[in-house]
Amino acid sequence: MTDTTTNETSAAPRRYVVTGAASGIGKATKDLLESQGHRVVGVDLRGSDIDADLSTGTGRAVLVPAVTAAVGDTIDGVIAVAGVAMPTSLTVKVNYFGAIATLEQLHPLLVRSDAPRAAVVASFSALQDNDPNLINLLRGGDEAAAVERADTIAGNGRGDLIYASTKRAIAEWVRLASITLEWASAGIPLNAVGPGVILTPMTEELLRTPEGREGLLAAVPMPLNGPAPAAKIAQTLAWLTDADNTHITGQVLFVDGGADATIRGPRVFG
């Protein structure tokens, strides 16, 4: 006898919210989910379904009413992709506080789903040099102090540490939040994806020359197939937020062509 019920849940159309949906990984994720027949509400600074500046409290407050107006009071998946890589405090506001606000504020709409799922984009940079003081402020949830620290770092010429600090902190937040009553006990897998070098207009410029490619891959070595297109990250995000994912949570899945294994080696299990 053929089992015709195996994939009924995952095959059903789902309702997603994807931030950063106007370009890059966010756009690739929105496009992929829509091609699978799902309803996707894109959020970005401009050029998507909902215009919202996630670096501000006002912009974050737009999310729930705008999403509710678009698809009602129930959503099945939230994918927080929106992020910037600027050596300024804007990166703190968007990458950490904007991402957490997205997930927490849309949580009440998620819990109404029969198969709620959530994911956020971290980075391989979570494993790179950072500013411990900034990370501690992010852990404590003090946005004003974290912004001030980031401004100080940038003023001292070390703005390059800000991005990695935000990605380390958001990866840590996922691991902490994922096993709480709010997420695990509500049946919501919460995970992160950590991309390595992704093919974007910015990185493609660097990769055009042997010197640029060598420098980029020295920082993020990717022995398996090299830099990845955004669509590969989209596929991973779609898989993590599919209804079939019932037990993977609290993970930072590095889609990095082997960069993590190359840099940290095998002895990472305590």
Side-chain angles (χ1 to χ4, degrees):
M1 179 181 292
T2 301
D3 182 1
T4 59
T5 64
T6 304
N7 290 317
E8 283 184 359
T9 303
S10 61
R14 289 165 59 77
R15 290 153 293 187
Y16 286 87
V17 176
V18 177
T19 68
S23 63
I25 293 171
K27 184 178 187 303
T29 302
K30 185 175 190 290
D31 290 347
L32 174 62
L33 292 171
E34 288 178 335
S35 75
Q36 296 172 342
H38 303 300
R39 171 73 169 96
V40 184
V41 178
V43 180
D44 214 311
L45 192 60
R46 61 185 66 85
S48 199
D49 302 306
I50 296 172
D51 292 339
D53 183 353
L54 297 179
S55 72
T56 69
T58 301
R60 297 166 194 166
V62 166
L63 283 175
V64 172
V67 169
T68 302
V71 292
D73 64 359
T74 303
I75 55 177
D76 302 297
V78 177
I79 304 177
V81 183
V84 297
M86 299 174 64
T88 70
S89 58
L90 179 65
T91 300
V92 165
K93 297 175 184 178
V94 178
N95 292 12
Y96 188 77
F97 292 102
I100 292 176
T102 296
L103 294 162
E104 290 186 338
Q105 291 186 21
L106 293 175
H107 182 275
L109 279 64
L110 269 179
V111 295
R112 295 189 175 98
S113 169
D114 293 333
R117 307 286 183 261
V120 62
V121 172
S123 172
F124 174 78
S125 294
L127 305 177
Q128 295 180 316
D129 290 344
N130 56 63
D131 181 73
N133 292 327
L134 175 55
I135 290 177
N136 282 333
L137 293 170
L138 295 170
R139 289 170 180 152
D142 190 335
E143 185 166 2
V147 166
E148 183 178 356
R149 175 61 186 173
D151 288 336
T152 298
I153 296 170
N156 291 336
R158 293 309 312 272
D160 58 302
L161 298 177
I162 297 173
Y163 179 79
S165 300
T166 63
K167 294 303 185 178
R168 169 71 69 86
I170 199 66
E172 290 182 355
W173 180 86
V174 164
R175 290 186 62 80
L176 285 169
S178 65
I179 54 175
T180 62
L181 290 172
E182 183 181 18
W183 295 94
S185 295
I188 310 174
L190 171 65
N191 293 284
V193 171
V197 178
I198 303 304
L199 294 170
T200 65
M202 180 179 69
T203 58
E204 285 172 356
E205 186 68 30
L206 289 170
L207 293 169
R208 281 197 182 100
T209 66
E211 296 79 13
R213 185 180 182 88
E214 182 179 350
L216 195 57
L217 294 182
V220 187
M222 300 178 68
L224 177 64
N225 296 325
K232 294 301 179 183
I233 310 303
Q235 290 169 358
T236 307
L237 289 165
W239 175 70
L240 285 172
T241 54
D242 186 83
D244 280 346
N245 175 25
T246 58
H247 284 78
I248 299 171
T249 198
Q251 300 303 307
V252 182
L253 184 54
F254 289 103
V255 186
D256 62 3
D260 174 27
T262 301
I263 295 294
R264 293 200 296 167
R267 298 182 182 179
V268 295
F269 301 102

